[in-house]
Amino acid sequence: MISRKNRFRGRNSLDHVYKKGRTVKSGPLSLKYVPSKREDYRLAVVVSKKVSKSAVTRNRIRRRIFELFRKKRAEYGTPINHDFIISVFDDKLADMPAEELSRMFEKLMSSAHIGP
């Protein structure tokens, strides 16, 4: 899980990213991002009930993406001054092998020109 300072607080805090952010897509993932004046990033992972009716599955997807972002951020080394919203459109991410999910995530971040 990411630290509390790197999470959005409330639905209204996401509105700025939804209105002003740029979007890139990679398979069943979509990344909406906007530069921020903060010293570090903020991240939200959105998994709709349309993806899976089971809260267990939605939370598993959310936790996997949070952990993947945390690990990749440590590899980048430089601060990431952006606000991110990652939207998920398929429940197969809950059971996808970690290497495949990591490749998909790398492709998403590189198409947004974030990281190395």
Side-chain angles (χ1 to χ4, degrees):
M1 200 65 174
I2 60 173
S3 69
R4 195 164 188 83
K5 71 174 186 159
N6 296 118
R7 290 187 242 164
F8 284 94
R9 289 182 182 79
R11 172 96 172 112
N12 290 334
S13 62
L14 297 173
D15 286 343
H16 176 70
V17 181
Y18 278 122
K19 289 178 183 174
K20 304 284 183 177
R22 292 182 153 190
T23 305
V24 293
K25 294 180 181 177
S26 172
L29 293 176
S30 171
L31 173 69
K32 198 166 223 10
Y33 64 99
V34 64
S36 173
K37 294 179 183 176
R38 297 175 184 275
E39 294 179 14
D40 211 359
Y41 69 94
R42 286 192 302 178
L43 174 66
V45 178
V46 178
V47 185
S48 170
K49 274 191 181 177
K50 290 180 182 179
V51 172
S52 174
K53 298 292 182 194
S54 169
V56 173
T57 304
R58 292 193 312 269
N59 288 333
R60 178 176 294 135
I61 293 169
R62 196 173 287 118
R63 283 192 309 266
R64 289 186 79 189
I65 292 174
F66 274 132
E67 184 63 17
L68 189 59
F69 190 90
R70 188 184 65 79
K71 285 181 180 179
K72 294 296 180 186
R73 193 242 175 243
E75 288 176 13
Y76 296 157
T78 59
I80 303 173
N81 300 345
H82 285 74
D83 290 340
F84 300 100
I85 299 174
I86 298 175
S87 300
V88 178
F89 301 111
D90 196 353
D91 65 341
K92 69 179 182 181
L93 271 73
D95 301 323
M96 183 180 285
E99 298 83 28
E100 188 177 342
L101 182 61
S102 180
R103 265 188 268 116
M104 189 182 304
F105 188 77
E106 285 277 332
K107 183 178 176 184
L108 189 69
M109 294 300 277
S110 66
S111 59
H113 305 293
I114 303 203

